[in-house]
Amino acid sequence: MSFKSDFFYNARQGLIQIEKFLAGMSLLILLTLSLAQVILRNFFELGFSDIDVIARHLVLFVTFMGAALVSEGNRHIKIDCVSSAIKESYREKLRKPLLGISSIICAIFFWYALQFWLDEYEYAPDNEQLALYMSLILPAGFLTLSLHFFLLVVGDDQQNT
């Protein structure tokens, strides 16, 4: 394995470990907060609106980190009606170009999600600061997906499976 291969492989493995941790912790916190909210509402007739805001954003954390993790193992949803009609050899030839296109599309989504967040940041009222910072998951999630697809394109074929 060359230095370039080692670097990209280690970058992918590091990214995977961070995503696993974030997805796991987000899910644990989501379940804990949701259970606490249900108990507070049903037994004490009390609830906190911020818990609902946090829960909504934690669902996005779990979704984006999960999407990045399944893309790494080539288990993501593929919307292509042509793949069943073409030969395996052609599918392998199209794999990296399609991953590259996916990386570019996710990078474009990242850019516009970031622009949207910056606009929200400029005009967000003081009582919505928690939701504002938690919504950073949108640009971060698209950046993570774009990075995964890019690393799959530039990485060695032996490590992509």
Side-chain angles (χ1 to χ4, degrees), residues 130-148:
L130 176 64
L132 173 70
Y133 288 108
M134 290 203 70
S135 66
L136 273 171
I137 185 56
L138 293 171
F142 284 121
L143 179 63
T144 303
L145 282 169
S146 179
L147 187 58
H148 263 287

Side-chain angles (χ1 to χ4, degrees), residues 66-128:
L69 288 169
V70 298
S71 71
E72 179 63 31
N74 201 22
R75 296 182 312 260
H76 55 283
I77 297 173
K78 298 176 191 101
I79 304 173
D80 54 355
C81 55
V82 181
S83 68
S84 60
I86 61 174
K87 294 180 182 179
E88 181 69 30
S89 61
Y90 291 126
R91 271 189 260 165
E92 276 305 308
K93 289 177 185 174
L94 289 173
R95 183 176 174 275
K96 284 197 176 193
L98 290 176
L99 286 171
I101 291 169
S102 298
S103 178
I104 291 167
I105 290 171
C106 286
I108 291 168
F109 284 168
F110 157 73
W111 175 255
Y112 284 108
L114 182 62
Q115 296 307 309
F116 175 77
W117 187 86
L118 290 171
D119 189 50
E120 288 289 313
Y121 177 78
E122 189 173 336
Y123 298 107
D126 290 338
N127 64 336
E128 293 182 10

